[in-house]
Amino acid sequence: MSTSIQPFSRPAAPPDAPGRGTKAFILGTASATCSLIVLDTNVVAVSLPAIARTFQASFADVEWVVSAYMVAFASCLLPAGGLADRLGRKRMMLAGLAVFLLASVGCGLASTATFLNVARAVKGVGAAMLLTAALAIIANTFHEGAERTRAWAVWGTCMGVTTTIAPLVGGVITQWAGWRWIFLINVPVCLMLVACVRYAMTESRNPAASRIDALGSALFGVALMLGIWALIDIPAHGWASVATGSRFGAAAVLLALFVLHERATAHAMIDLSLFRQPRFVGAVLGMFGYAACAQVMMTFLPLYLQNAFEMSAVQAGVGMLPFALAMIGGPYLGARLSSRFHGSSSVLVAGLMLIGAGNLLVAAVATHAHYGLVAVGMIVTGLGAGVMNGDTQKAIMACVPVHRTGMASGISTTTRFSAIVTAVGVLGAVLASRTERAFEAALPAGFAWRDALGADFLARVLAGDIGQAIAQAIAPLDAAARASLATKASQAFASGFGAALGVAGVVALVLGATVWSLYRAGRGPAVPIVDQQR
């Protein structure tokens, strides 16, 4: 079944008015919109310690600043793409900018950590609307040949540059204007983009767009949220608690219902028959490994640099440049590997191996308080991330027929952001657990630190707020005791960060080996894909 939405009968309604912009202007507007999303995704990490100080927030609260946005974003990508096709890409972009703008105001004016996290979730919905509409507009404007290739190259360059400068921009704004302006600065940017969209773009729709799978979207989104909720609260409740078990159990049940629903519905978001192809599964796992083991560095690395090296927000932004700059050079290495070994598998495997090696190197030196050694590991991880940044998407798209590229693109993007938010939960739990054990091991035997310092002491330390955590200790502390405690807390956090990066490194290596095996298994004839569209 296909349904098309007809334009309003009144002539020249603003959303449907013919655009007056050139193709270059349209590309610039769409790329700038996507850059805004990338900037907002990555810029907030540097400000997390400042946010924690403002709200006296725990590590779980800080994790939700990232995770609330990512969960909403990942959950809404597929349905937002369908809505853009049905209602109109230009209309969806304008609506997305409105949601994004209002949510940014909510974030900037938030009075509590809970309010901030709710606003961040709404912002994730707006970001999903913007990304899917912008990508559809680019694809609809540039149809084929060299022009289309150049358009996507420009878009990719914009994404790479934005990813590189995001930590530095976040550090500068946080230190010199305050963390709230990280969100409030989006207001004039969104207003400018609204004017550009209304001026430049012509409305477009897919007349054959299928019905939106609302139930599938809800099942997937709630399952993802419950799983992340369980992971984030593990430091507070423990792995064996009723709260943790019930959330994981509910997430598993909803995920199983999602799979059953997708197999039964005629308008599924995801064609599960794609996963019968080993090469497709390998490509999706490559994307998962890239996002979970490399892109997640953008969340935890600023906390580590500010905690372990006592860097300011600006210094932390500069300190992340080795990772970001290596990501820019990575695609050139990936291109050489692809031309030499003639296949996506070599690029994906090489990228995952570099990511794994870089993470393990950082894990090995994390407690040594030597930034140069950490920077070497960041460069290796960044190269691996750069190698995979474009090739993961290409590898997924290469496994499906042309009429399924939209769905494959949705699977790819959803996998990326689901992997990031899952990694934030898993690695955050490892970080918190290891930090607590290392801190307790550094204290005198029998010292009841929770009674002396407060039960939430380590939660504040993990949020990047060591100074305030010590200042609010229950027991009176002299200057020497404060300095000693700060050193112990900083070293414990570095130990926890090393453990988290060690897990990420091992996962990347295991996924690299798995991808290699799946591509070898997929060398034979591809499994036929049953077209489920009706």
Side-chain angles (χ1 to χ4, degrees):
M1 180 189 299
S2 64
T3 306
S4 61
I5 307 286
Q6 298 299 324
F8 292 120
S9 57
R10 62 180 182 272
D16 293 323
R20 290 171 286 174
T22 63
K23 285 188 174 183
F25 192 92
I26 292 172
L27 176 61
T29 300
S31 296
T33 302
C34 293
S35 295
L36 175 64
I37 298 166
V38 171
L39 188 67
D40 193 78
T41 302
N42 295 315
V43 77
V44 72
V46 179
S47 70
L48 292 179
I51 293 173
R53 284 191 292 273
T54 298
F55 297 126
Q56 299 184 14
S58 68
F59 184 50
D61 293 327
V62 164
E63 284 186 287
W64 274 117
V65 175
V66 176
S67 298
Y69 178 87
M70 291 289 187
V71 168
F73 195 7
S75 302
C76 293
L77 277 169
L78 287 172
L83 281 173
D85 285 343
R86 287 169 63 87
L87 302 181
R89 286 76 178 250
K90 178 179 178 179
R91 185 171 289 136
M92 179 64 78
M93 184 174 283
L94 290 171
L97 284 168
V99 172
F100 199 86
L101 186 155
L102 292 174
S104 294
V105 172
C107 291
L109 301 180
S111 56
T112 65
T114 300
F115 189 96
L116 173 62
N117 292 334
V118 171
R120 285 283 289 170
V122 175
K123 203 173 187 182
V125 175
M129 297 166 68
L130 287 176
L131 181 64
T132 51
L135 294 179
I137 285 170
I138 294 175
N140 188 67
T141 304
F142 301 91
H143 298 288
E144 59 185 15
E147 184 184 51
R148 184 182 181 94
T149 301
R150 283 194 300 270
W152 287 117
V154 169
W155 176 85
T157 300
C158 291
M159 299 303 99
V161 170
T162 306
T163 301
T164 303
I165 66 172
L168 184 56
V169 170
V172 169
I173 295 175
T174 298
Q175 188 164 324
W176 294 346
W179 65 264
R180 294 182 185 276
W181 283 99
I182 283 179
F183 305 111
L184 294 176
I185 201 171
N186 289 333
V187 174
V189 175
C190 287
L191 291 174
M192 181 184 67
L193 288 173
V194 166
C196 291
V197 171
R198 289 178 64 88
Y199 167 81
M201 295 181 181
T202 301
E203 187 60 279
S204 64
R205 298 176 179 83
N206 177 8
S210 59
R211 191 176 61 193
I212 304 301
D213 183 11
L215 178 57
S217 301
L219 289 171
F220 176 79
V222 177
L224 183 61
M225 185 273 292
L226 287 172
I228 300 306
W229 188 13
L231 288 169
I232 287 177
D233 276 3
I234 281 173
H237 298 296
W239 286 94
S241 69
V242 174
T244 300
S246 61
R247 290 168 192 166
F248 275 134
V253 169
L254 290 176
L255 196 58
L257 290 174
F258 169 74
V259 172
L260 292 174
H261 171 72
E262 293 300 292
R263 294 182 65 179
T265 185
H267 304 281
M269 292 193 302
I270 298 174
D271 180 2
L272 297 176
S273 66
L274 291 170
F275 290 90
R276 297 186 199 141
Q277 297 186 68
R279 294 169 67 87
F280 182 79
V281 175
V284 170
L285 287 179
M287 174 64 83
F288 187 93
Y290 156 63
C293 303
Q295 283 200 309
V296 75
M297 285 275 280
M298 302 296 285
T299 299
F300 290 114
L301 194 55
L303 286 171
Y304 168 69
L305 293 176
Q306 292 180 72
N307 258 349
F309 295 101
E310 299 182 358
M311 290 184 176
S312 66
V314 172
Q315 289 171 332
V318 174
M320 292 179 66
L321 284 178
F323 173 77
L325 292 174
M327 277 193 69
I328 295 177
Y332 297 98
L333 175 59
R336 292 178 67 88
L337 288 171
S338 182
S339 62
R340 180 176 182 128
F341 295 102
H342 305 291
S344 297
S345 61
S346 60
V347 178
L348 298 185
V349 172
L352 286 169
M353 292 301 171
L354 282 170
I355 291 170
N359 282 346
L360 291 177
L361 177 56
V362 174
V365 302
T367 58
H368 294 184
H370 194 300
Y371 172 76
L373 296 175
V374 174
V376 172
M378 282 194 280
I379 291 170
V380 177
T381 302
L383 280 174
V387 165
M388 300 190 71
N389 190 29
D391 280 270
T392 44
Q393 182 90 358
K394 292 177 187 175
I396 290 173
M397 305 297 276
C399 296
V400 301
V402 174
H403 69 281
R404 289 298 174 88
T405 54
M407 179 183 292
S409 179
I411 292 172
S412 172
T413 310
T414 303
T415 299
R416 177 184 300 216
F417 288 99
S418 297
I420 293 173
V421 74
T422 301
V424 167
V426 172
L427 298 183
V430 173
L431 170 62
S433 176
R434 176 58 186 167
T435 298
E436 181 174 344
R437 290 199 301 271
F439 183 69
E440 290 177 342
L443 296 172
F447 179 71
W449 65 268
R450 288 182 176 83
D451 295 332
L453 305 177
D456 63 346
F457 176 79
L458 277 184
R460 296 186 187 279
V461 170
L462 288 163
D465 195 15
I466 292 178
Q468 191 174 71
I470 294 174
Q472 295 182 350
I474 295 174
L477 302 170
D478 58 29
R482 288 172 181 268
S484 175
L485 194 60
T487 299
K488 288 180 172 61
S490 176
Q491 291 174 343
F493 185 93
S495 178
F497 178 77
L501 265 289
V503 171
V506 171
V507 169
L509 295 178
V510 170
L511 286 175
T514 304
V515 170
W516 179 77
S517 300
L518 287 166
Y519 267 79
R520 282 180 61 87
R523 284 180 177 175
V527 176
I529 301 174
V530 178
D531 192 343
Q532 293 182 351
Q533 292 181 341
R534 301 175 192 174

